[in-house]
Amino acid sequence: MKVLVPVKRVVDYNVKVRVKSDGTGVDIANVKMSMNPFDEIAVEEAVRLKEKGVVTEIVAVSCGVTQCQETLRTAMAIGADRAILVETMDELQPLAVAKLLKALVDKEQPGLVILGKQAIDDDCNQTGQMLAALTGMPQATFASKVEVVDGHAVVTREVDGGLETLKIKLPAVVTADLRLNEPRYVTLPNIMKAKKKTLDVMKPSDLGVDTTPRIKTLKVTEPPKRGAGIKVPDVATLVDKLKNEAKVI
């Protein structure tokens, strides 16, 4: 079985994000970039399924600028067999990415698509669901456990009331949650091996997809800074301030 794993290049989660002075977006100049943590979990899960003998090939996919090749090399260092980059300078929104992935699904015919539940830059949590809708494949989101048995995926997912277990027929789309696994440390030998693996580059036009943005960002602002705390002399004053100033009781 072939597995398709989309990965996204985002600002590293350790970096403090800063808004551009003109408010048009987030400043990424000279900022460390890395693979979206949820996508890293998805790659790890695909590799574990391959180690169990369930999966035969793992194909990592990324959509974006040329530097996304670094992210794909990281995916191959974790254990992906080959990679595909859909190279474009356009601002890619979830629907455009889903359409690109749909075209690749039609081309590659994977038995499973597993990706992160959301990206830490825009927090949209839309691409996996949109891809499932476009392809007509069943989906299981927020997966905390994945098992593949007899042509089905048994997925345990986290919901507000606890855990929910779904059994879906393959091919299917699964989005990975934080507690699905702990990604392995990438070793230097695997990084060197990844440099020799196949990385194909194509354009959105090659897939017949229009990536024109449909949503316009009007303004990006930082959240208001937190005010300093104050000391109160007694409980009565505290209750009064909570009720009349903070209005939380």
Side-chain angles (χ1 to χ4, degrees), residues 8 11-12 39 56 75 77 80 96 98 115 119 129 132 152 169 189 194 201 203-204 208 213 227 233 238:
K8 187 176 183 180
V11 175
D12 190 88
D39 294 337
T56 54
L115 65 161
Q129 292 89 326
H152 291 79
K169 189 175 181 180
V201 180
K203 302 288 184 182
L238 173 62

Side-chain angles (χ1 to χ4, degrees), residues 10-17 31-38 40 120 182:
V10 299
V11 175
D12 190 88
Y13 67 93
N14 288 313
V15 173
K16 180 176 173 57
V17 176
V31 171
K32 182 184 177 184
M33 308 291 281
S34 62
M35 187 190 302
N36 178 45
F38 291 105
E40 193 174 358
I120 62 170
E182 182 73 31

Side-chain angles (χ1 to χ4, degrees), residues 31-204:
V31 171
K32 182 184 177 184
M33 308 291 281
S34 62
M35 187 190 302
N36 178 45
F38 291 105
D39 294 337
E40 193 174 358
I41 291 168
V43 176
E44 173 66 26
E45 190 62 24
V47 173
R48 293 188 184 190
L49 289 172
K50 186 179 180 183
E51 290 171 347
K52 291 177 183 176
V54 176
V55 171
T56 54
E57 185 182 23
I58 301 169
V59 183
V61 179
S62 192
C63 306
V65 295
T66 306
Q67 290 88 337
C68 289
Q69 292 188 25
E70 300 168 12
T71 307
L72 290 170
R73 293 292 180 194
T74 302
M76 289 190 285
I78 295 172
D81 298 295
R82 59 187 176 91
I84 300 171
L85 171 62
V86 182
E87 188 177 14
T88 176
M89 294 299 292
D90 294 342
E91 177 198 349
L92 292 177
Q93 294 172 350
L95 181 58
V97 176
K99 287 180 177 179
L100 291 171
L101 294 177
K102 195 263 183 186
L104 288 172
V105 166
D106 293 341
K107 182 181 178 182
E108 295 288 337
Q109 295 293 309
L112 178 66
V113 180
I114 182 167
L115 65 161
K117 68 171 185 176
Q118 66 192 71
I120 62 170
D121 53 359
D122 55 22
D123 278 330
C124 282
N125 179 26
Q126 295 174 345
T127 306
Q129 292 89 326
M130 287 178 170
L131 176 61
L134 290 172
T135 58
M137 294 194 290
Q139 61 176 305
T141 56
F142 309 147
S144 59
K145 185 178 180 182
V146 177
E147 293 178 317
V148 177
V149 184
D150 298 328
H152 291 79
V154 180
V155 180
T156 302
R157 60 190 301 268
E158 298 185 354
V159 295
D160 290 341
L163 298 176
E164 178 183 62
T165 303
L166 301 178
K167 185 177 182 181
I168 54 177
K169 189 175 181 180
L170 299 177
V173 176
V174 174
T175 68
D177 207 344
L178 194 64
R179 279 165 286 279
L180 180 57
N181 60 53
E182 182 73 31
R184 68 193 65 191
Y185 179 75
V186 180
T187 61
L188 183 59
N190 286 339
I191 293 173
M192 301 308 292
K193 289 177 185 176
K195 292 181 178 180
K196 298 179 181 179
K197 292 182 180 179
T198 304
L199 197 161
D200 298 320
V201 180
M202 57 182 67
K203 302 288 184 182

